[in-house]
Amino acid sequence: MIPAARMNQDTDSPDQLLLRAGSGCSDSFSRLYDTCADALFGIALGITKNHAEAQEILQDAFVSIWKNAGRYDPSLGSATGWMIHLTRNLAIDRLRKRQRSDDLQRRFSEEKAVTDEDAEPPESPLIAAETARRVRKALSILPGDQRMALDLAFFEGCTQTEIAERLCEPLGTIKSRIRRALERVRTLLGENPVTD
């Protein structure tokens, strides 16, 4: 005969497991993973159509679930629905970033093909290294808020709206911050005369 305590553990719902995980119970979190991982992986794979990306999304989803389990409120919906929503959002974000990256790569390839015929000789490694050093120095001089906005826009591929949401700031503020940062970098690199 199975002890009652063991039987309860085997029949715990995702809601109960998530609530206990929110209280720091790693065993409940582990069982929540075992119960829900396949379904969440299927959702991520269905959206991205990429096995490796779906695995990364599943990992990111469970990291987020563990960090935010204490905020789960069963009165607002089921744990399963909450986890599906979280996983779906992560997968859609990943898909959008991939599409933006593919679009940038395609545009770069098209522009490169058009300009290759008229291209000047390539920069020497010494000139390229000096340019990279100057750009790093210019970025390091920027105020922290401007540097962060540029990092999110150009190195993480975030849209201005995504940056505003991430930093909890108005969209207009983010647009101005990025514009000022780009102007400052151009000035520091000597592309524009200093007008201050």
Side-chain angles (χ1 to χ4, degrees):
M1 185 169 169
I2 301 173
R6 170 79 188 279
M7 192 164 41
N8 285 344
Q9 286 183 350
D10 291 341
T11 60
D12 284 340
S13 70
D15 294 46
Q16 293 165 323
L17 293 171
L18 184 57
L19 285 169
R20 283 203 298 272
S23 299
C25 178
S26 58
D27 181 56
S28 292
F29 180 73
S30 177
R31 288 193 299 119
L32 183 67
Y33 181 91
D34 293 341
T35 303
C36 301
D38 289 343
L40 297 181
F41 175 78
I43 289 165
L45 184 60
I47 292 171
T48 64
K49 310 288 191 249
N50 182 299
H51 197 272
E53 282 187 340
Q55 287 178 323
E56 290 175 12
I57 290 163
L58 181 67
Q59 180 179 346
D60 291 347
F62 272 98
V63 167
S64 184
I65 289 166
W66 175 251
K67 287 180 178 177
N68 295 296
R71 296 181 186 163
Y72 168 65
D73 182 355
S75 70
L76 298 177
S78 71
T80 305
W82 181 73
M83 292 186 294
I84 287 171
H85 181 74
L86 187 148
T87 304
R88 182 180 171 279
N89 286 348
L90 288 171
I92 289 170
D93 286 348
R94 177 68 66 98
L95 187 61
R96 285 179 181 156
K97 283 184 182 177
R98 185 189 343 139
Q99 288 168 341
R100 277 196 303 267
S101 176
D102 290 348
D103 287 347
L104 285 172
Q105 183 62 39
R106 181 185 47 75
R107 278 189 273 162
F108 175 76
S109 297
E110 289 170 358
E111 289 173 10
K112 188 174 184 320
V114 169
T115 58
D116 272 351
E117 297 169 2
D118 304 323
E120 297 176 11
E123 287 185 346
S124 74
L126 225 58
I127 294 171
E130 174 61 18
T131 301
R133 186 193 65 74
R134 289 177 61 216
V135 168
R136 279 193 303 273
K137 182 177 180 184
L139 289 174
S140 71
I141 292 171
L142 291 176
D145 58 346
Q146 290 181 7
R147 188 171 51 248
M148 182 181 296
L150 279 186
D151 282 345
L152 290 170
F154 293 100
F155 300 115
E156 292 192 30
C158 295
T159 65
Q160 292 178 340
T161 301
E162 289 169 338
I163 296 168
E165 289 171 1
R166 201 173 200 178
L167 300 179
C168 300
E169 301 222 22
L171 180 58
T173 300
I174 295 301
K175 288 181 177 183
S176 298
R177 188 173 295 162
I178 290 173
R179 188 183 68 254
R180 283 193 313 270
L182 288 172
E183 288 170 358
R184 181 74 175 140
V185 168
R186 286 186 191 111
T187 299
L188 291 168
L189 293 176
E191 295 180 15
N192 286 340
V194 178
T195 57
D196 294 335

